[in-house]
Amino acid sequence: MDKRELTARYGCPTGTLASELDKRTDGLDESVAELMPTLIDWAETQFREMGRPDARELAVAFVAAYQGIPLLTNTLRDPDLMAAEGERLARWLDSLEA
């Protein structure tokens, strides 16, 4: 079973873990809250290095797409959605460099 099929069946482990830990009040909820900003900050750095003045906005859009597609893939049980979104994101990123 490849990763797309696993995601279609079980969802995204990172997103699921973050969602479940956010329901707690013992400090783990705060720890997991640091994960998404770290991803966004990393993506922002990449876009900034491309010379994009809108790096933060692009980073949020990228992480939202990257984290959102596993939810749709799982909910609709369609592993092809991940492949299609990956290809779309690759085209989008290529268009930003032009």
Side-chain angles (χ1 to χ4, degrees):
M1 188 177 296
D2 71 13
K3 290 186 186 239
R4 291 179 303 153
E5 291 171 348
L6 284 171
T7 301
R9 188 169 191 179
Y10 301 110
C12 171
T14 304
T16 300
L17 180 62
S19 178
E20 289 303 314
L21 290 178
D22 186 55
K23 297 172 186 173
R24 299 173 64 121
T25 59
D26 60 1
L28 287 174
D29 55 325
E30 294 173 16
S31 295
V32 77
E34 297 173 15
L35 177 62
M36 291 303 163
T38 300
L39 290 172
I40 293 169
D41 291 346
W42 176 84
E44 180 181 6
T45 299
Q46 306 311 305
F47 286 118
R48 199 164 304 291
E49 288 181 6
M50 291 171 61
R52 296 296 305 208
D54 53 350
R56 187 68 176 185
E57 294 166 4
L58 293 172
V60 169
F62 177 76
V63 172
Y66 184 80
Q67 288 296 313
I69 196 60
L71 174 66
L72 291 174
T73 297
N74 176 241
T75 302
L76 300 173
R77 299 281 198 260
D78 185 355
D80 293 335
L81 288 174
M82 289 209 45
E85 181 64 2
E87 291 169 9
R88 188 197 69 77
L89 282 172
R91 288 191 310 273
W92 177 65
L93 291 170
D94 287 344
S95 77
L96 296 175
E97 292 182 311

